[in-house]
Amino acid sequence: MTTVLTPAMRDRRRKAQRPAWEEPPTIPGRIAKGALLTAVVLAVLIPMWSVIVTSFSSKQAIADAGGMVFLPRDFDISAYVLIFTRGEVSSAVWNSMFVTVVGTTLSLFCTVLAAYGLSRPGSLWHRPLLMFFLITFLIGPGLVPTYVVVTSLGLKDSHWALILPAAVNAFNLMVVRQFFMGIPAELLDSARIDGAGEWTILARIVLPLSKAVVAVVGLFYAVGYWNIYFNAVLYLNNAEDRVVQQVLQAYIIAGQSPAGIGSPPALGFNAPPSLAVKMAVVVVVLIPVVAVYPFIQRHFTKGVITGALKG
């Protein structure tokens, strides 16, 4: 005798077979999730808002607030005029931009080429080279050997000392390799039958299919180069070669005052308060990352998850 299942019975049976995490969230769960996400967003936006407002505040507004300003008042751009007119911050920004643009381009070039070669099982020295990159996850070179190598190559007091040691990141390489391995081999073989070489296949087939993972890895590299600090302290001794993170450290952590603070007004405006200048430097450091991330965000989840799990 066949049992006829009603729609309600079928629904209960499907629910019994589904894992708990596949169940639709309950109303209290949705409310709790919304409250948690709202709290996280506010925890990020409120300090950023206070930093931006303080950087545009006058001496009187900062004095009345007793420090960081939250409500906009007495709009004043003298802090930004000072840091860019004096040249210290603007020079550091240009140095950081050079390191970020050149370093990201070189890193992506090396990472994509190495990942494509390691994703092809029949490539030359495939297994030894793969083990060579994987072993860096477990064994690091150490500070002293790295410093000796960099100085022996004559890279000290050069921005190349910040770029070349970080040119290839093993994690990023493995992510891109896994993504390349997920591309159907039949697609590449058909291109070879049509007479395409490896460079043509990489440029016209593999890279157009890998925009998401390349964009995300490029963002990782760019943020790493823009935020580089420790290597800059080790290898850059000249003030004109300093990157923006060194200037930020000097102003915020070391408590140094920018040139022009407390001196007679020589630029046509009263010298801005030290706190406003420090917050202006923080804003200048944050702008590039905040400006670039919205263009990469739509690729972020797809690139990382797909690149990590495919293959």
Side-chain angles (χ1 to χ4, degrees), residues 148-165:
V148 171
V149 170
V150 171
T151 54
S152 299
L153 293 175
L155 299 177
K156 193 173 181 182
D157 293 326
S158 168
H159 291 133
W160 292 104
L162 311 182
I163 296 174
L164 295 181

Side-chain angles (χ1 to χ4, degrees), residues 187-268:
L187 182 62
L188 307 184
D189 292 337
S190 63
R192 293 190 182 94
I193 293 174
D194 292 337
E198 296 298 332
W199 288 99
T200 303
I201 293 173
L202 176 61
R204 297 190 176 184
I205 298 178
V206 176
L207 286 181
L209 295 175
S210 309
K211 291 180 181 178
V213 70
V214 171
V216 172
V217 170
L219 177 65
F220 288 162
Y221 277 126
V223 172
Y225 282 118
W226 181 259
N227 290 332
I228 198 166
Y229 168 72
F230 186 68
N231 286 353
V233 173
L234 287 178
Y235 304 127
L236 301 181
N237 295 324
N238 299 326
E240 60 271 15
D241 294 330
R242 294 204 302 176
V243 295
V244 71
Q245 300 299 331
Q246 290 177 281
V247 176
L248 180 65
Q249 188 273 342
Y251 286 1
I252 304 300
I253 300 177
Q256 297 180 10
S257 294
I261 299 299
S263 61
L267 300 175

Side-chain angles (χ1 to χ4, degrees), residues 39-56:
V40 171
V41 171
L42 291 177
V44 175
L45 292 182
I46 290 176
M48 290 183 62
W49 171 258
S50 181
V51 167
I52 295 173
V53 172
T54 304
S55 69
F56 286 104

Side-chain angles (χ1 to χ4, degrees), residues 1 4 21 26 51 83 115 123 131 147 151 157 186 198-199 214 237 240 274 276:
M1 183 176 178
V4 179
W21 57 82
T26 60
V51 167
I83 63 176
S123 58
M131 294 303 299
Y147 183 83
T151 54
D157 293 326
E186 296 80 4
E198 296 298 332
W199 288 99
V214 171
N237 295 324
E240 60 271 15
S274 177

Side-chain angles (χ1 to χ4, degrees), residues 46-150:
I46 290 176
M48 290 183 62
W49 171 258
S50 181
V51 167
I52 295 173
V53 172
T54 304
S55 69
F56 286 104
S57 297
S58 63
K59 288 183 179 180
Q60 188 60 44
I62 293 177
D64 293 343
M68 299 295 291
V69 181
F70 186 77
L71 297 177
R73 174 188 159 194
D74 299 338
F75 185 79
D76 187 358
I77 63 170
S78 59
Y80 291 92
V81 175
L82 176 66
I83 63 176
F84 285 112
T85 304
R86 293 296 179 178
E88 185 178 18
V89 175
S90 58
S91 175
V93 169
W94 283 112
N95 291 335
S96 291
M97 289 181 63
F98 172 81
V99 171
T100 301
V101 173
V102 176
T104 303
T105 303
L106 178 63
S107 295
L108 281 178
F109 180 78
C110 296
T111 300
V112 168
L113 291 184
Y116 179 70
L118 294 175
S119 66
R120 304 300 101 193
S123 58
L124 180 65
W125 297 346
H126 174 270
R127 190 169 296 277
L129 288 175
L130 180 60
M131 294 303 299
F132 173 79
F133 284 107
L134 289 176
I135 201 171
T136 60
F137 281 114
L138 305 175
I139 303 175
L143 177 60
V144 175
T146 303
Y147 183 83
V148 171
V149 170
V150 171

